[in-house]
Amino acid sequence: MKIDRDGNMTGFDKVLLATDFSERSENAMQRVMLLATAGVKEVRLLHVLSGTLLDELKHLVSGGVSARLREAMQHKLEEQAGRLKAGTNFAVECSLEIGRPHVVITEQGKQTDSLIVVGAHARAMRDWVQGSMLERMPGAARQPMLVVRQPVGEPYRRVLVPVDFSDCSAAAAEAAVKLAP
């Protein structure tokens, strides 16, 4: 995201697209493809392998499971990146990380100063107890975040931006104008 000399947002150069290869993540990728008009030039496609899941797999099956899992996920990332490149002029980079998804996504967003784009997911039973990844992210993320809930049909015509009259709310409203002019 660029800031001009007056401190105003001028567009989104970079997008961090978090994917878990689900249908909802595919919707988020389709939405990103429509963001060329918002000034997007670079996309980092990120998949996070849950550290706890990987540890459990290592205990269940011996010998190289984590390496095979990483290779399979890297291959899926590269396939998605190929589709993203074919449909846009974006520079696309793949990143496969291990950790707590909400932590890794927000950290990568901070490091790259990117608009974070994620697909919304139906609530699982564990989400009722722990809170979903999406519920944990906004408090940690300082950059704009776009949550894609539905299949993409056309560019946004309306955007809902909750405000509390803080500086962050003003920045969120400004970001919304860039996404749905």
Side-chain angles (χ1 to χ4, degrees):
M1 156 179 57
K2 285 194 242 173
I3 308 292
D4 67 14
R5 285 181 275 180
D6 298 325
N8 299 316
M9 238 183 317
T10 59
F12 299 103
D13 283 356
K14 301 175 187 174
V15 168
L16 176 64
L17 174 57
T19 182
D20 62 2
F21 310 112
S22 67
E23 182 179 333
R24 299 289 179 132
S25 290
E26 182 67 27
N27 293 342
M29 186 172 86
Q30 294 299 318
R31 178 58 61 193
V32 166
M33 294 172 85
L34 292 178
L35 292 179
T37 58
V40 173
K41 294 181 178 36
E42 300 174 29
V43 176
R44 177 178 286 188
L45 189 59
L46 170 66
H47 179 71
V48 182
L49 292 169
S50 175
T52 57
L53 173 62
L54 198 59
D55 292 338
E56 288 174 22
L57 284 173
K58 283 180 185 178
H59 292 314
L60 290 175
V61 181
S62 61
V65 170
S66 62
R68 286 194 304 265
L69 180 60
R70 285 182 65 88
E71 286 174 19
M73 295 300 104
Q74 186 66 40
H75 181 70
K76 282 183 135 188
L77 268 177
E78 289 168 6
E79 284 178 356
Q80 268 195 341
R83 290 197 328 269
L84 191 56
K85 286 177 190 176
T88 66
N89 290 325
F90 301 153
V92 181
E93 171 189 347
C94 294
S95 181
L96 179 63
E97 302 292 334
I98 298 173
R100 295 173 60 199
H102 71 284
V103 172
V104 174
I105 292 167
T106 54
E107 282 302 314
Q108 290 241 345
K110 287 177 192 173
Q111 291 171 7
T112 60
D113 191 29
S114 301
L115 166 67
I116 299 172
V117 181
V118 296
H121 292 273
R123 294 181 64 86
M125 180 55 91
R126 135 184 90 77
D127 293 341
W128 292 105
V129 177
Q130 298 176 328
S132 72
M133 179 193 73
L134 288 176
E135 289 170 336
R136 289 179 263 168
M137 283 182 61
R142 292 289 179 211
Q143 50 288 23
M145 185 168 81
L146 174 61
V147 178
V148 179
R149 296 193 178 281
Q150 299 176 359
V152 175
E154 58 187 310
Y156 286 126
R157 291 178 296 177
R158 292 174 291 175
V159 177
L160 174 65
V161 182
V163 295
D164 62 3
F165 305 105
S166 66
D167 290 340
C168 290
S169 288
E174 201 170 325
V177 169
K178 303 297 183 206
L179 292 173

